[in-house]
Amino acid sequence: MKKVFLLAILLILGMSIPMHAQSNREYLVRVAINGGWTIKTGKTPDAYPIYYKDYLYNVRHGFSADVNAQFSLNKVFAIGLYYDFFRKHHSMPLIYTEGEQSFMYTIDNTYTIDFLAFSLGIQKAEGRSRYMIHYLIGIMDYWESGNYSPYDMFVTNASVGHCFGQGVMLNYDYMFNEHVAVGVELTYCIGTITKWKEL
């Protein structure tokens, strides 16, 4: 099975917790744990059956989580690490017809995306507010497991694809005190899967 594009959008409302006190200049270290919503925007192949396209529409979006750590080099530049996790499980009944016989069947699959990346960014602090934009570059994994694919019906299967991934992350933090902040994060990631490995 071949995927041409794997795109993920991550919109997150989360809590940012700097590990060290904020100086008059900048954060020294910022660690954030976030939860939010992901929307996959990759195109579904035209060759897929209509009912399977409808099924995939329901697994395009769902809850996701990420953790990222950023280290300030100076007032403007920062480097860091970023990890994002998305998993969606969905089942859908359908009627499979073979000749004159019809069978009731249930698609029951799980889709998982992992993205581990290095980040390079710039930042600006104004009073209690902090604005950041980061470029992400790393490894993306895409997993499918379950009992159905449009090419292999009624067979339990699992497959995985790995690729180079990249993205852009936008952050805004509002500092409550020297150690705790609340913020908003918007991330757009892209990767291209060219080979699948059956497990």
Side-chain angles (χ1 to χ4, degrees):
M1 185 174 181
K2 186 175 181 181
K3 287 278 186 181
V4 178
F5 288 103
L6 175 63
L7 303 172
I9 294 178
L10 177 63
L11 176 60
I12 289 180
L13 295 173
M15 180 67 74
S16 303
I17 308 174
M19 295 291 289
H20 297 285
Q22 185 187 30
S23 68
N24 292 330
R25 298 184 302 108
E26 289 296 329
Y27 298 153
L28 297 178
V29 178
R30 172 187 179 273
V31 176
I33 300 172
N34 304 292
W37 201 258
T38 287
I39 303 172
K40 295 194 298 179
T41 59
K43 183 180 178 182
T44 302
D46 293 333
Y48 282 7
I50 295 298
Y51 61 83
Y52 193 55
K53 290 181 180 179
D54 293 339
Y55 172 79
L56 291 178
Y57 175 80
N58 291 300
V59 298
R60 284 183 178 274
H61 49 84
F63 180 80
S64 61
D66 81 60
V67 58
N68 59 80
Q70 297 159 9
F71 308 87
S72 296
L73 300 177
N74 53 41
K75 289 184 178 181
V76 177
F77 298 103
I79 60 174
L81 294 173
Y82 173 89
Y83 174 72
D84 177 68
F85 176 81
F86 169 78
R87 174 175 290 172
K88 183 65 180 284
H89 171 262
H90 185 62
S91 60
M92 182 185 78
L94 60 87
I95 297 176
Y96 172 69
T97 302
E98 184 174 338
E100 296 182 354
Q101 293 185 322
S102 296
F103 305 91
M104 181 65 72
Y105 186 71
T106 300
I107 302 175
D108 190 10
N109 287 3
T110 301
Y111 304 86
T112 305
I113 299 173
D114 292 287
F115 183 38
L116 178 62
F118 178 72
S119 68
L120 301 169
I122 58 176
Q123 57 191 351
K124 182 179 180 180
E126 293 182 350
R128 290 181 176 268
S129 296
R130 184 180 192 230
Y131 307 89
M132 297 153 282
I133 180 170
H134 285 260
Y135 169 66
L136 306 173
I137 180 170
I139 301 299
M140 185 177 291
D141 294 332
Y142 181 79
W143 300 73
E144 289 186 8
S145 61
N147 63 353
Y148 179 85
S149 81
Y151 305 111
D152 189 9
M153 293 190 69
F154 313 132
V155 177
T156 300
N157 62 79
S159 57
V160 61
H162 311 282
C163 71
F164 167 80
Q166 54 187 326
V168 176
M169 176 175 61
L170 305 175
N171 300 96
Y172 167 77
D173 287 348
Y174 179 82
M175 297 295 299
F176 288 128
N177 55 46
E178 293 183 341
H179 298 280
V180 179
V182 65
V184 179
E185 177 182 307
L186 174 64
T187 304
Y188 181 82
C189 304
I190 182 172
T192 301
I193 302 294
T194 57
K195 292 183 180 180
W196 287 98
K197 179 180 179 182
E198 296 293 331
L199 302 178

